[in-house]
Amino acid sequence: MNRRQAYEAGQRRRALRVAGISTALVLAAIMVLVPLAPGWPQVKASFFDGAVFAQTFPTLLKAFLIDVMIFAWSVPLILALGLAIALARGAQAPALFPLRVFGAVYVDVFRGVPVVLTIYLIGFGVPGLGLPRPWNSPYIWGTVALVLTYSAYVAEVLRSGIESIHASQRNASICLGLSERDTMRYVILPQAIRRVVPANMNMLVALQKDVALLSFIGPVEILRQAGIYKSLLANFTPYVVAAVIFLMVTVPATRYADHLLNRDRNARS
Amino acid sequence: MPEAKLSLRGVTKSFGDNAVLRGIDMDVAAGEMICLIGASGSGKSTLLRCINQLEPIDDGVVLLDGLDISEPGLDLGPIRRRIGIVFQSYNLFPHMNAVENVLLAPRRVLKEEVGALRVRAEALFERFGLAQHIEKYPDQLSGGQQQRVAVIRALAMRPEIMLFDEITAALDPELVGEVLNVLRQLRGEGMTMLLATHEMGFARELADRVCFMDGGVIVEEGAPEEIFSTPQVARTQAFLRSVLR
């Protein structure tokens, strides 16, 4: 070990020691102070009941599979529609002007309305037209609401990706005789999509959480199931269980998205 | 005199209030190599970009084999494939490897069969000393190698004319030679070429004709010997004094 390495190793040891001590102090303070709060025994009983936790966990985990399913079939639809909207917004030909306006309005509307509202309006409104079974299913219209909202976000992310590709790439392509269409398809889009993968990963993490909002219009997925248990057992612990189950999925997904972002940043700098 | 391969008559181009080309007349015969010299901002690059219609011209005409290719509204795809251009900044497609860069346009535009195309592309890589780099991505290649791939990419479309826009200006000095050698080879094969360049030695060695541009016009043109040894116009003399110091 040379002199600099010895110095840096010492610095690292010192940093670890300081971080360890300060973390221990904060944890100790929480463990000592929180139970001193007057309402702590009640909160502990109604939110952190070990028996309720163990009793409801398996069923809630199963209910979570419904969230995962809705997520799984929404994602391809969102990506396809998002791409279509992004391309519509970039349409240049005068004949396609209505398409461009439609794209802009679409993005404004669905980014501007809270997801819950869209879910309520579509989830209760469309089946209200008196559609026959299975077409009045909240699964269908809940999915539609999510797809409409999230494709608007994905479209904006994709469009920013397309615009981030330098004009010289387009020039090089059309100077080789490629059409605008082939230029977009073979030169611009592949680069743009690669560039926005991390941003879209974050979008999908948010979607995974928002799937739970469909509980408001009917499907007995994890959030609704937790609500049922809450009423049944007169205990809030099922909500904590649901939160834990969500974290089991979203934390690794977020870390992975961050990892992609960092790699991307390092590759470009 | 036989009809010129490429003719420019009274070509003008402005960007806003900035008149970049102020009446360019030029004839390029088939197989001729012309070097455009002049200070930065004299209009050399813009002239090249106006020839392949990357920039639409304001007035005048550009004739390719007697056909007016500067007519507004003309479908430019079929014309651009006859005119190859190579840029100062290579502009390779970073998500494709070298040979994919080269194959894209012939496959999509000329609809050529991939097998035969691949053979032709490999021959081009071989010819320009890049055979072992055929599968590499642009970021794995040096500037000189990237620029040679860019030349191959343009040549793969079998253009009738090649335009080179200061293609050695962004290269480290030790890499300039390998790219100029490629031009030397093309010259030997009789390619019609227009170069905007700062490589005066190269222009003197190989050009059939040298055009000195200043302020958006061709101030003086002639054989390299005349321009470099006995320039007639004061502005040409001043420019050459400053670059040949």
Side-chain angles (χ1 to χ4, degrees), chain A residues 14-124:
Chain A
R14 200 181 111 87
L16 266 175
R17 215 161 47 232
V18 171
I21 291 170
S22 77
T23 308
L25 282 177
V26 170
L27 282 179
I30 290 172
M31 273 163 16
V32 171
L33 292 178
V34 171
L36 290 180
W40 173 243
Q42 290 94 312
V43 168
K44 186 171 178 240
S46 53
F47 283 89
F48 302 102
D49 185 319
V52 173
F53 194 103
Q55 181 197 345
T56 57
F57 188 87
T59 315
L60 287 175
L61 192 59
K62 220 192 263 165
F64 185 63
L65 286 183
I66 294 179
D67 294 76
V68 173
M69 263 165 45
I70 296 171
F71 174 79
W73 70 53
S74 297
V75 169
L77 295 173
I78 287 167
L79 297 181
L81 188 59
L83 177 60
I85 297 292
L87 291 177
R89 290 205 68 183
Q92 295 297 327
L96 298 180
F97 181 73
L99 205 59
R100 208 161 79 223
V101 173
F102 172 78
V105 171
Y106 181 97
V107 169
D108 281 349
V109 167
F110 287 106
R111 283 202 313 169
V113 177
V115 195
V116 193
L117 255 179
T118 309
I119 289 171
Y120 267 128
L121 291 176
I122 293 180
F124 287 133

Side-chain angles (χ1 to χ4, degrees), chain A residues 146-240:
Chain A
L146 286 177
V147 169
L148 289 174
T149 302
Y150 272 87
S151 59
Y153 283 102
V154 168
E156 277 307 278
V157 169
L158 266 174
R159 200 169 67 107
S160 72
I162 289 169
E163 279 167 10
S164 76
I165 305 300
H166 199 266
S168 60
Q169 287 284 308
R170 179 187 164 276
N171 285 348
S173 177
I174 64 168
C175 284
L176 286 166
L178 272 91
S179 63
E180 292 285 350
R181 202 190 136 126
D182 281 351
T183 297
M184 180 56 83
R185 178 163 163 202
Y186 297 109
V187 177
I188 311 288
L189 264 188
Q191 298 184 58
I193 288 175
R194 225 162 286 194
R195 209 169 270 190
V196 299
V197 162
N200 277 328
M201 281 289 295
N202 278 328
M203 209 70 90
L204 294 184
V205 172
L207 170 67
Q208 176 64 74
K209 292 180 297 171
D210 279 354
V211 170
L213 297 174
L214 293 201
S215 63
F216 293 137
I217 59 169
V220 184
E221 48 66 72
I222 187 166
L223 184 55
R224 198 169 178 91
Q225 184 64 53
I228 293 170
Y229 273 135
K230 177 213 63 180
S231 309
L232 213 60
L233 306 171
N235 192 291
F236 287 105
T237 305
Y239 284 138
V240 176

